[in-house]
Amino acid sequence: MAASPQIASLLGRRGRLELDDLLAALVVDGYLLADDAKQVRMGARAGRSTVELHPLVLIANAKLANQREPGRPLKLEALTEWLANHAGLPYLKIDPMKINVASVTQVVSHAYAQRHRILPVAVATGEVTFATCEPFDAGWAGDLAQMLRRDVRRVVSSPIDINRYLQEFYGVQRSIQLARDAKANDNNASAILNFEQLVELGKSGEIGADDRHVVHIVDWLLQYAFEQRASDIHLEPRRETGHIRFRIDGIMHKVFELPSPVMTAVTARIKILARMDVAEKRRPQDGRIKTRSSGGREVELRISNMPTAFGEKVVMRIFDPDLVVKDFAQLGFSPSEVANWRTMVERPHGIVLVTGPTGSGKTTTLYSTLRHLATPALNVCTVEDPIEMVSPEFNQMQVHAAIDLDFAAGVRTLLRQDPDIIMVGEIRDLETAQMAVQASLTGHLVLSTLHTNDAPSAVTRLLDLGVPHYLIQSTLTGVVAQRLVRTLCPHCKQAAVQDPQTWGVLTHGWSIPVPAKVFAPVGCLECRNTGFMGRTGIYEMMKLSPRLRSLISAELDLGNFGQAALSEGMRPLRISAADQVAAGLTTVQEILTVLPPIEVFDDTQP
């Protein structure tokens, strides 16, 4: 929609936006009915508590019908974009992960930015970009351009985002700057310390893990990670600065930098919260933190640290309890896969293995399965390293190598605990594998994981560990290989035509027709312009049929065994993934980034 000079003149006649002018302009543009505008105007005059709200927020809070898009309310982002169009300025949805907080907060003071309702969002050579919610009030821009000796570029953003990130950016940066000086008081709290001063304060030992500024930084970091849907938080020390990165939907994103001494204090604070030995910095340690998100939901974090050349690296894996209460369909299982999986895990005895690389969702699959199986009539026990998520439904034991409590010893102990179902975190060696086999032979259901690329390779891995082939024949019920792939954002994905050649790469050897309709990523505000939101599982399920059992021998030929598994109904990972593409959940390009190379045994369709 082209900007109207008349409306721009109406909006900008007083400099600062007025509610009456905005309402009149929206009526003229056909977004609001005159009666709705009158209702908002009367409500604003009657309500004293809303006097300080930006007029755009007042209109959005009324949730009036958008006359240009029937059935949808007039939202704040749409109003902000409309305003930017009439002001002749670019619209910007503020993404905090793309802003260098340390540099933008040095441009102007918090008080100045708050007074003019502006937020610095980008600093480049010769230019500074400011987000504003008052596009017709531009007097400050000329003054700043003179003071900064740089060009000032303006963009229009939501007043709520500007207000929120003003508080967060300046609050966190101030905490970082003052974290070295435990004696700082409110009078000098706004003093700006340069990096050299911070280093000197850090050397003086005046910073502590319990310093209120460090506490603020850690609290903000955790809440920020929850909001961004991060699965892992990485604190990585470097020579001069520490890097903070989030893993979101499987992809790493750099989000912040801290001076090294502040990073050390933040690491110490996290170790205290995780009940780890703060004084021990030479050995790796594990711990866990239980906290709540800003919405009040309970969240558990598993903490792991290790020594590096420049200090302790900390990784916090975030476990959402809601993940393990999902049913199998929500994990990405198709109806036929749900039936196969139930057939495997609802048996009274046998070994069921879940395979895949680290981060492929094996733990989530096993925990969801245990939640499904755990009833008051069954005794479910686990031995893990470490315990991923504490669950009240079953008994969990932590491996402690220092006291010779490894997986094998743990399974041996569990067998004396009258279990019905045993979950072994990982089969790493022959002794653990032998104990799992023994547990299965004595009438227990054993669930565990292996690191293999596909399901048939799990059998050769057990043989390589030294498990006799006849015991594998007797105990192994089935193997499931899995991966996680990003799913398309439901808010912005758009229909596309599938390239037959790319489809042929994915479905090589299988006569699967090219889908008539697929979807492609676009990028929007909801998915932070990535085009993807969340992940789903793809699975390769191999049930041990009598024919497959007969093929297991000491000299097993993996190619022949894989071909036999395909003829017995196993569908490769990439064919399961092709179903997800055809269903519009993901793309072929995304699948090909996570799947292993095509193996010889699935070159042809059975």
Side-chain angles (χ1 to χ4, degrees):
M1 180 189 67
S4 165
Q6 293 82 5
I7 293 179
S9 175
L10 173 65
L11 293 172
R13 63 185 179 182
R14 295 187 180 91
R16 282 283 176 107
L17 293 171
E18 298 287 343
L19 179 62
D20 289 348
D21 297 337
L22 277 171
L23 290 171
L26 286 167
V27 171
V28 171
D29 258 2
Y31 283 91
L32 284 182
L33 296 175
D35 289 344
D36 288 341
K38 183 178 179 181
Q39 178 186 341
V40 175
R41 193 178 293 111
M42 292 175 62
R45 289 172 181 169
R48 296 182 178 179
S49 60
T50 60
V51 173
E52 297 301 323
L53 289 179
H54 191 280
L56 279 184
V57 178
L58 280 173
I59 298 171
N61 286 348
K63 297 181 180 178
L64 300 172
N66 186 339
Q67 298 304 315
R68 289 203 167 195
E69 296 182 30
R72 292 188 177 183
L74 198 56
K75 294 185 177 180
L76 181 59
E77 294 302 333
L79 287 168
T80 308
E81 200 164 356
W82 166 84
L83 177 64
N85 184 58
H86 281 299
L89 295 174
Y91 163 76
L92 174 71
K93 172 63 178 176
I94 299 173
D95 184 350
M97 295 185 65
K98 296 179 179 177
I99 295 176
N100 186 334
V101 176
S103 63
V104 299
T105 51
Q106 299 297 319
V107 176
V108 294
S109 69
H110 183 212
Y112 186 91
Q114 200 166 32
R115 184 163 66 250
H116 292 284
R117 294 183 179 180
I118 58 176
L119 175 71
V121 292
V123 179
T125 304
E127 183 182 79
V128 182
T129 303
F130 287 86
T132 178
C133 55
E134 295 287 352
F136 298 103
D137 178 14
W140 56 270
D143 297 339
L144 269 185
Q146 275 192 329
M147 288 190 296
L148 300 175
R149 294 182 181 179
R150 300 182 191 179
D151 293 335
V152 171
R153 177 172 176 261
R154 295 185 300 142
V155 295
V156 180
S157 296
S158 157
I160 287 183
D161 284 352
I162 290 176
N163 185 59
R164 173 191 172 180
Y165 293 119
L166 265 177
Q167 306 304 322
E168 285 193 11
F169 290 173
Y170 281 91
V172 170
Q173 194 61 27
R174 184 170 63 181
S175 293
I176 292 170
Q177 291 168 343
L178 298 179
R180 315 302 180 114
D181 191 0
K183 298 178 181 179
N185 54 41
D186 293 337
N187 291 331
N188 62 10
S190 61
I192 296 178
L193 306 178
N194 61 34
F195 183 72
E196 288 73 18
Q197 290 172 312
L198 287 174
V199 172
E200 290 306 314
L201 285 170
K203 290 178 180 177
S204 70
E206 294 182 10
I207 185 172
D210 292 326
D211 182 89
R212 62 190 177 94
H213 303 298
V214 175
V215 172
H216 178 212
I217 294 169
V218 173
D219 289 347
W220 170 81
L221 177 64
L222 295 181
Q223 294 303 322
Y224 188 29
F226 300 154
E227 288 178 8
Q228 298 297 322
R229 301 182 294 105
S231 61
D232 301 84
I233 306 170
H234 291 245
L235 275 63
E236 303 170 323
R238 297 293 186 263
R239 187 182 302 276
E240 295 181 351
T241 60
H243 297 169
I244 298 176
R245 296 197 290 171
F246 292 168
R247 187 179 294 280
I248 303 173
D249 294 338
I251 307 297
M252 294 287 280
H253 299 266
K254 183 178 176 182
V255 297
F256 214 76
E257 287 187 359
L258 292 174
S260 291
V262 175
M263 177 70 91
T264 302
V266 167
T267 299
R269 171 68 180 169
I270 291 170
K271 290 173 70 175
I272 290 172
L273 293 174
R275 296 180 175 86
M276 297 159 71
D277 186 352
V278 180
E280 179 55 74
K281 299 182 180 181
R282 299 171 300 171
R283 291 189 299 111
Q285 297 184 67
D286 294 309
R288 65 180 63 251
I289 297 173
K290 209 166 201 175
T291 183
R292 290 187 180 275
S293 67
S294 56
R297 295 169 60 251
E298 190 175 85
V299 180
E300 193 162 313
L301 298 94
R302 193 190 76 194
I303 316 300
S304 173
N305 85 319
M306 73 172 195
T308 69
F310 301 111
E312 294 177 276
K313 179 182 186 300
V314 176
V315 176
M316 294 182 275
R317 174 156 288 187
I318 302 171
F319 290 106
D320 187 342
D322 289 348
L323 289 178
V324 294
V325 297
K326 289 184 176 180
D327 59 36
F328 298 136
Q330 290 175 305
L331 294 177
F333 285 88
S334 68
S336 61
E337 289 169 342
V338 170
N340 285 337
W341 182 242
R342 284 178 175 271
T343 302
M344 292 185 205
V345 300
E346 292 179 353
R347 292 165 52 94
H349 57 81
I351 297 175
V352 179
L353 298 176
V354 181
T355 75
T358 300
S360 60
K362 302 187 298 294
T363 299
T364 300
T365 299
L366 285 178
Y367 270 83
S368 297
T369 302
L370 290 177
R371 284 279 183 96
H372 166 72
L373 297 173
T375 66
L378 293 177
N379 177 21
V380 180
C381 300
T382 75
V383 53
E384 304 171 64
D385 182 25
I387 294 174
E388 303 275 10
M389 288 174 274
V390 177
S391 178
E393 282 84 1
F394 30 90
N395 308 288
Q396 298 168 278
M397 178 165 57
Q398 166 86 42
V399 165
H400 287 289
I403 57 173
D404 295 327
L405 178 56
D406 55 14
F407 279 116
V411 176
R412 191 178 296 111
T413 300
L414 292 184
L415 286 176
R416 305 189 192 106
Q417 292 288 314
D418 186 29
D420 295 296
I421 300 172
I422 295 173
M423 194 268 274
V424 183
E426 183 183 348
I427 294 179
R428 299 175 181 171
D429 50 41
L430 175 59
E431 190 178 6
T432 305
Q434 288 175 329
M435 291 308 306
V437 168
Q438 183 64 35
S440 173
L441 289 172
T442 52
H444 304 92
L445 176 64
V446 179
L447 306 178
S448 189
T449 67
L450 276 178
H451 289 290
T452 63
N453 279 338
D454 50 59
S457 298
V459 177
T460 57
R461 178 61 56 83
L462 292 176
L463 290 170
D464 291 342
L465 287 176
V467 181
H469 68 277
Y470 54 86
L471 290 180
I472 299 176
Q473 288 178 335
S474 303
T475 59
L476 188 61
T477 298
V479 183
V480 175
Q482 72 174 80
R483 298 290 189 280
L484 290 177
V485 295
R486 292 187 297 169
T487 52
L488 290 165
C489 173
H491 302 92
C492 66
K493 67 180 182 180
Q494 67 179 18
V497 177
Q498 178 60 57
D499 174 32
Q501 186 174 358
T502 310
W503 180 258
V505 172
L506 178 64
T507 62
H508 176 66
W510 291 66
S511 55
I512 299 177
V514 178
K517 183 180 180 182
V518 296
F519 289 86
V522 177
C524 66
L525 303 180
E526 299 291 337
C527 62
R528 297 187 306 277
N529 291 316
T530 63
F532 294 90
M533 179 181 288
R535 291 189 289 176
T536 190
I538 53 175
Y539 302 91
E540 176 179 274
M541 294 194 169
M542 183 184 75
K543 288 196 298 183
L544 267 291
S545 65
R547 180 189 171 198
L548 291 180
R549 293 183 192 279
S550 68
L551 292 176
I552 298 175
S553 65
E555 279 78 35
L556 177 70
D557 185 302
L558 180 58
N560 291 336
F561 186 73
Q563 284 285 356
L566 291 172
S567 66
E568 290 292 301
M570 183 188 81
R571 301 173 78 241
L573 277 167
R574 54 197 177 85
I575 303 306
S576 172
D579 290 344
Q580 303 281 33
V581 175
L585 292 178
T586 187
T587 67
V588 174
Q589 289 77 10
E590 171 64 18
I591 300 250
L592 294 176
T593 62
V594 299
L595 284 183
I598 298 174
E599 300 290 347
V600 174
F601 63 77
D602 62 351
D603 273 349
T604 58
Q605 182 176 356

